[in-house]
Amino acid sequence: MLSNLQHQANSPLEDPEDNVDLLIWQQCESGPSKEIFVQRVNDLVFNYTSNLHQITLADALCLLQSEFSEHTADFSKIVQYQCLMLEKCR
């Protein structure tokens, strides 16, 4: 499993659309509090229906936030990025 993860982490993305949109990423702000993180996760889960992977992402980020709360601002920024990407697709 670790070998596969290492391979995936170091391989180029197969689909160019999977690259991070740097213009959108730069619009995102870190949310330093857990309250902001929770609000953004709620927005991700309940305000968008175009991509079912958003539920998996929200679940994973909630788990990571509970284990590594010192990175809450970073996780919050990731959630905001995904919301903006989904908004772009509307």
Side-chain angles (χ1 to χ4, degrees):
M1 184 169 91
L2 289 177
S3 172
N4 188 31
L5 182 60
Q6 178 70 20
H7 175 73
Q8 288 180 359
N10 292 298
S11 297
L13 298 172
E14 293 176 14
D15 186 349
E17 289 186 9
D18 289 339
N19 288 311
V20 173
D21 185 325
L22 294 178
L23 292 175
I24 291 179
W25 180 252
Q26 291 169 352
Q27 295 174 28
C28 298
E29 299 175 2
S30 297
S33 70
K34 185 173 180 180
E35 292 78 21
I36 292 173
F37 172 78
V38 169
Q39 179 58 50
R40 288 180 179 172
V41 167
N42 283 335
D43 289 344
L44 179 62
V45 171
F46 298 113
N47 293 344
Y48 301 96
T49 58
S50 61
N51 183 336
L52 294 178
H53 296 294
Q54 69 206 43
I55 305 291
T56 305
L57 176 62
D59 185 46
L61 288 171
C62 286
L63 175 67
L64 288 169
Q65 192 282 327
S66 70
E67 295 291 322
F68 306 100
S69 59
E70 67 273 14
H71 296 286
T72 297
D74 298 323
F75 300 140
S76 185
K77 187 173 181 177
I78 293 168
V79 176
Q80 184 182 24
Y81 173 83
Q82 187 62 34
C83 288
L84 290 173
M85 289 299 293
L86 291 169
E87 193 67 38
K88 180 181 169 182
C89 294
R90 281 188 173 179

